Amino acid sequence: MSNSHPRGSSADSNSPVPFIDLVAQYGTIRAEVREAVDRCFETQTFILGDEVVQLEKEIAAYCDSEHAIGCASGTDALILALLAAGVQPGDEVITSPFTFFASAGAIHRIGAIPVLVDIEPDSFNLNPACVERAITNRTAAIMPVHIFGQCAEMEPLWRLAAAYDLPIIEDAAQAIGAEYRGRRAGVLGTIGCFSFFPTKNLGGAGDGGIMTTDDADLAARLKRLRVHGDLGGYNHVEVGFNSRLDALQAAVLRVKLRHLDKWTEGRAKNAARYEELIRAAGLDDVIQLPTVLPDRRHVFNQFTTRITGGRRASVIASMKEQQIGCAVYYPIPLHLQKCFAYLGYKQGDLPEAEQAASEVLSLPIYTELPAVHLERVVEGLCRALDRSTTLAFPVTTPVPQRKAA
Ligand SMILES: *Cc1c(COP(=O)(O)O)cnc(C)c1O
């Protein structure tokens, strides 16, 4: 492997296209990460400590929140946030059925009841009108999920939260750096919850998570909940968890945070290029492109299209044969998961979520995706849909810096 091409594999128009390539990203930051990891070993501080305190300050600054509190995972961030916000067993929490399992899993895990309501078909995010209809006197919180890296429609949720005195817990696991009307995910509700799972836009070297809030009392409670409810000095005022962030994770994340905006720009550029090529190839009659709503900064944790006309299964089979990565997030909406059968939902209850689950297809979007690979993905889609691939793509926006070596 040459230094000029630090990627895990060489990229040409015939080589396989992985859905995600973290090796390529690591190649661009290896020296910085190694130095940060060495620092942790030299000090032998592994749990919380200065690296975590510094990361918390940097994330708070990045999200423009007063406080940030690290924890062991995005799932734990949701659990701790729900508890800190006062959600009790038997309470109802309204969230989306079209999300990663943890959103509703966290609600269930604290003994509360997930109330799943339908989504908006263009953004795949919670439909505020459905949220309003689901509010009862047992509702204790609203949990919007900024799915795929685009913020949910917040203004109507703010009105509902104010009218019914409800906290908003943002599941911002996929949305670090995303914006709604110029404000970042994490400060659009009472508590924001982020995940550092390696495939998130800011991913660690293992599990990790963080919570953001402007409320000093909530911040103090979140801080003690992650260490068994200890106020300090083994003074346990409530029973909490062991959910601490490792110093090693924080050290690696601090390195990666410095690159995050550049990486986000790369994702957005790839998204724009996909749109251009998919339209140029005339595939947009079958492939519905992602909608970026006004007043948003979409950070494209996923580039999620819809394959309409019942053609998704055959497209996936063809892409697999062509060794081009693609993925379905998510194939089964949460209201139809077996473990939530007790909630009493049935097929047809949440039609937009169900249709999305049957049509969505995410394409490789990572910053390091070589331009030739991105073109190969679109050519692959042409083949999968039995369209001509002989058409030469019009290069209206040359991207020389993204050419494979
Ligand atoms: C990844 C993710 C989580 C959970 O985060 P973990 O760090 O894996 O526990 C929660 N919600 C959403 C929407 C996610 O994408």
Side-chain angles (χ1 to χ4, degrees):
M1 201 190 314
S2 77
N3 285 338
S4 63
H5 189 266
R7 296 182 178 111
S9 60
S10 66
D12 61 46
S13 50
N14 293 315
S15 55
V17 182
F19 181 69
I20 183 161
D21 186 355
L22 292 171
V23 173
Q25 185 192 65
Y26 180 56
T28 67
I29 54 171
R30 178 181 283 110
E32 288 172 276
V33 169
R34 299 285 282 264
E35 193 261 314
V37 168
D38 281 348
R39 204 165 61 226
C40 292
F41 276 91
E42 291 308 328
T43 59
Q44 290 287 299
T45 305
F46 294 118
I47 309 280
L48 297 174
D50 189 55
E51 293 286 352
V52 172
V53 171
Q54 293 310 320
L55 176 73
E56 289 173 341
K57 282 190 187 148
E58 290 162 13
I59 294 284
Y62 187 79
C63 296
D64 197 27
S65 73
E66 290 290 324
H67 310 274
I69 302 96
C71 64
S73 71
T75 304
D76 278 9
L78 293 169
I79 288 174
L80 295 168
L82 288 163
L83 289 171
V87 178
Q88 303 283 330
D91 285 350
E92 296 173 355
V93 178
I94 302 170
T95 194
S96 171
F98 191 67
T99 171
F100 177 62
F101 181 77
S103 313
I107 296 167
H108 170 98
R109 196 29 75 213
I110 65 157
I113 301 163
V115 174
L116 304 168
V117 304
D118 217 350
I119 58 168
E120 295 182 326
D122 50 356
S123 68
F124 304 110
N125 274 320
L126 263 188
N127 180 330
C130 298
V131 173
E132 181 161 22
R133 282 197 293 276
I135 291 176
T136 71
N137 54 16
R138 288 164 73 195
T139 305
I142 303 171
M143 184 194 284
V145 182
H146 306 314
I147 202 74
F148 305 141
Q150 174 161 244
C151 289
E153 185 59 76
M154 295 304 297
E155 162 101 39
L157 299 185
W158 292 336
R159 289 178 193 283
L160 292 173
Y164 295 92
D165 194 21
L166 297 171
I168 293 177
I169 308 297
E170 292 176 76
D171 184 341
Q174 301 181 3
I176 192 158
E179 292 177 9
Y180 176 82
R181 298 191 187 169
R183 295 169 68 188
R184 290 248 156 118
V187 295
L188 303 174
T190 317
I191 304 174
C193 301
F194 295 89
S195 164
F196 298 131
F197 187 80
T199 61
K200 305 290 157 107
N201 286 18
L202 181 61
D207 276 312
I210 206 162
M211 302 155 288
T212 50
T213 185
D214 284 342
D215 183 311
D217 293 334
L218 282 177
R221 189 161 184 205
L222 291 168
K223 246 179 156 157
R224 65 176 194 247
L225 278 172
R226 74 177 170 181
V227 289
H228 297 292
D230 186 358
L231 267 186
Y234 301 98
N235 185 7
H236 297 267
V237 294
E238 64 182 319
V239 178
F241 297 80
N242 171 2
S243 183
R244 301 168 299 211
L245 184 61
D246 290 347
L248 272 169
Q249 298 307 333
V252 170
L253 290 162
R254 290 181 67 203
V255 168
K256 294 179 82 170
L257 181 58
R258 297 202 289 266
H259 299 275
L260 181 60
D261 279 323
K262 178 184 66 196
W263 290 338
T264 301
E265 287 311 306
R267 287 172 180 271
K269 267 190 200 150
N270 285 344
R273 183 73 174 141
Y274 270 129
E275 289 211 25
E276 181 186 21
L277 294 184
I278 285 170
R279 285 191 212 283
L283 301 177
D284 53 328
D285 57 342
V286 176
I287 302 177
Q288 203 173 303
L289 293 160
T291 305
V292 180
L293 295 171
D295 284 326
R296 303 289 204 286
R297 179 193 191 211
H298 193 325
V299 297
F300 292 103
N301 180 240
Q302 300 297 346
F303 183 85
T304 304
T305 67
R306 285 179 191 252
I307 309 295
T308 60
R311 303 185 70 176
R312 186 178 69 181
S314 67
V315 168
I316 292 172
S318 170
M319 295 293 266
K320 194 168 175 198
E321 198 174 283
Q322 299 179 71
Q323 295 189 285
I324 300 171
C326 59
V328 175
Y329 300 117
Y330 295 90
I332 306 175
L334 300 189
H335 68 291
L336 299 179
Q337 294 286 349
K338 187 173 175 194
C339 66
F340 289 139
Y342 76 92
L343 294 172
Y345 297 100
K346 57 186 188 316
Q347 185 93 37
D349 282 350
L350 304 175
E352 292 295 353
E354 291 165 28
Q355 188 170 344
S358 73
E359 291 183 338
V360 286
L361 188 67
S362 297
L363 305 178
I365 190 67
Y366 46 98
T367 308
E368 300 78 14
L369 182 71
V372 287
H373 270 178
L374 194 153
E375 286 168 11
R376 187 155 181 246
V377 174
V378 181
E379 278 166 4
L381 290 168
C382 289
R383 274 201 197 91
L385 291 167
D386 304 314
R387 303 294 174 82
S388 158
T389 58
T390 53
L391 131 156
F393 293 126
V395 184
T396 54
T397 50
V399 279
Q401 79 280 12
R402 304 191 43 72
K403 252 190 199 148

